[in-house]
Each structure stands twice: as structure tokens, then as C-alpha cells.
Amino acid sequence: MIFETVATGGCRSYVVGCEATCAAVLIDPELGQIDRYIALTAREGLRIRYLIDTHTHADHFSATQQLARQLGVPVVMHAASPAPFVDLRLRSGELLVIGKLRLQALHTPGHTRDSMCLCVEDRVFTGDTLLIGGTGRTDLPSGDAGALYESLFEGVLKLDPALKVFPAHEYKGRSHSTIGQELAENPRLQKSDRGTFIEMMQSLNLTMPTHITEALRTNMTGGKTVAQMLSEASAGVPFMSLGELNARIESGSDDLIVLDVRERDAFEAGHILGARLLPRGQLELRVNEELTDPTRRILVYCEFGRVSTLATATLRQMGFQGAVALDGGMKAWREAGYAVKAGKE
Ligand SMILES: [Fe+2]
């Protein structure tokens, strides 16, 4: 078995590959590491055959859907997953065939309703059901402390004590533990009485993960993150530096329409010399009156350089092939000490 761990902060993804056939699976991939997974499997001579999420993640952005599009391979989750983009829904006990390897799913609801663990040879991928010295929390959407108790004490903990445990999170840099070690040492598993366990899980008072609404929105629906929208927009857009724009304005060159896409009050409080106001929210409505020549070069700016990237991408889609986004925004422009004009257009 070829095996690799990719750690992103406290999140863990795993590559499991069959040496004999070069087939591999990717477990719990994270959106920011897509190039790393592709590079790593290429280096190992592996071809990814399945993309698996052990559950609906609330704390990181899953890369399964994007990788599925890129690689043309199925996304696998438990049958209880709400995500519409899942191609293969496993039920407890079912196997995935990866060359000569057999990966077996074990439904372990509790952290989420769709949580599953995956056993292959000498190891088990426990998702957020069982962590090293801990368990997944049960206070997020579809979490259930009673279900987690059953999944652990009637499920995972009954597996071979020698099985190596590889969780979806590890914050102290340990690579893995074993079922036996967790049974003996995991503080949360010492309360083997159901009522006490539930009470303990319900009184943890954990803070909510950052980005929880965005993570649940994108992981449950297959929708895009804000960062994805921006990166897709910026991939098709050229940029102009603050210094270049300033030099053009100072030289009196008028080959450029400078377009401010912020709201009117921000524009009137201070804008770039000679800029025209066309708020992002009105772009499509007013573009035909305001920008009559599609061949003109149009420099678009906003406050931080993000909304202007989206606006520039929209303009280019509409045929304004001379649209350019400012690399930075009005905030960076002011901080650089370049000239600002207040007042109406
Ligand atoms: Fe989780």
C-alpha cells in the first residue's frame, strides 16, 4: 500500500494507493491543496480513482467536487450525505475496490448524520468520529451525542485493537494512534456509560468553527466559495499596478476610462482623478448608456480590489476586451499617497 498524509493546519487528508495497480483514493481533500494532491499522486505514480469525504465538513472546504470535475472520477460519501454532487453513496459494510485494495465503509453517525469510517488493511480512517485523544464534536448541524456513543462503543471501538487510527483532524502533529491506544488513553472514551458520555458531549461549550456557514453552504450544495469566485474571475482578467495608473494620470494621457464601481457615498468621499462612477450593483443595468465603445480601455477599481475583479470579469464577458482591474483598490491608492479628489462626478 502506498500511503501519504497531507496536513493543512489541523485538517488531514490521505492518499491510499495500490502498489500493484497504481489505483488510489483521496480521503477528505481540502480545496487549498488541489495542486499538491495532483502533484503528489503523480510523483508516486498513482491515478486517483475515487474522491471520498468521510462526512459533510463544517470547518474546511472540501475539494472533492472540483477534483471530480478536473479528473473525471466519482465523489464518494455515505448514503446519508445531503450533497447533490455525490456520485457514489456507500452504505455500511460496502467496499470500494481500489486495485488490489479493499476499502470498507462503516457508518458512524454522531459527529454528523453522514459520518463514516473507512477500513483498509491495517488502518482505519476515522473522519471526525474518533480523533487521537478525542472525538468529533456533536453540536454542529446533524450532530447527535447519543448516535456518536453507539458509533464508537458499538462500532469503531469493537474493531481490531491493533488497527491504526488516522483521523480527519490532528492538532498536535501525531501521525496516528491505534484503536487499543484510544480505548486505553482517550479521555472521552473512559466514560463508557451512555448517559454520562452524552452529558459530557453536551457540556463541551466549543466555539463555532470559522467559515462554518460558508463551509456548510459549499460542502452541502457543491456551490463555490467566495475565494473560488474571485480566483476564477482573476484568472481571466489583466491587472494594472497603482504606479502605472498614477503615471498615466500624471502624464495627462486620456486613453483610459477610469471606472469607480463603489457606491456613490464612497466615490464622493474621495476618488481617483477623472474617474467615472458606475456602482457594481448597477453595472449590467447602465453599461449600455455609460460605456458606449466596447473597444476602449477601461480601468476598473473598487475599495479593496476584489469587487473590481468581479466587475472587470463581467465587463470582459460582455465584450469589453479592454477592461483591466486595478491591482489593489482605493485603500491602497490612498495609502500610497496618490492624488484623491472628493466631491461629485
Ligand atoms: Fe468534521
Side-chain angles (χ1 to χ4, degrees), residues 54-60 111-112 115 127-129 136-137 140 168-169:
T54 53
H55 63 285
T56 301
H57 298 282
D59 54 357
H60 76 251
H111 172 61
T112 61
S115 286
D128 284 356
T129 299
R137 60 199 290 174
L140 298 179
H169 287 288

Side-chain angles (χ1 to χ4, degrees), residues 112-163:
T112 61
R113 195 181 301 129
D114 63 357
S115 286
M116 63 177 175
C117 294
L118 301 158
C119 299
V120 57
E121 299 198 336
D122 64 343
R123 58 201 64 198
V124 54
F125 299 95
T126 51
D128 284 356
T129 299
L130 176 62
L131 307 178
I132 303 176
T135 68
R137 60 199 290 174
T138 52
D139 59 337
L140 298 179
S142 92
D144 180 334
L148 182 63
Y149 177 86
E150 268 98 48
S151 292
L152 286 168
F153 289 95
E154 304 300 323
V156 186
L157 298 172
K158 288 196 166 165
L159 296 170
D160 179 354
L163 272 186

Side-chain angles (χ1 to χ4, degrees), residues 16 66 78 81 89 102 107 136 147 156-157 183 196 204 207 214 218 249 263 278 312 315 335 344:
V16 181
Q66 187 166 326
H78 183 263
S81 162
R89 296 169 181 277
R102 300 290 183 271
H107 187 208
V156 186
L157 298 172
L183 268 170
T196 321
L204 290 175
T207 53
E214 190 178 25
T218 56
I249 291 171
E263 295 302 314
L278 179 48
T312 307
L315 285 172
E335 284 166 4
K344 294 186 193 307

Side-chain angles (χ1 to χ4, degrees), residues 2 17-19 21-24 38-48:
I2 298 169
C18 166
E19 259 173 305
T21 63
C22 298
I38 306 273
L40 193 152
T41 45
R43 191 187 69 200
E44 297 295 330
L46 294 171
R47 178 175 166 214
I48 297 171

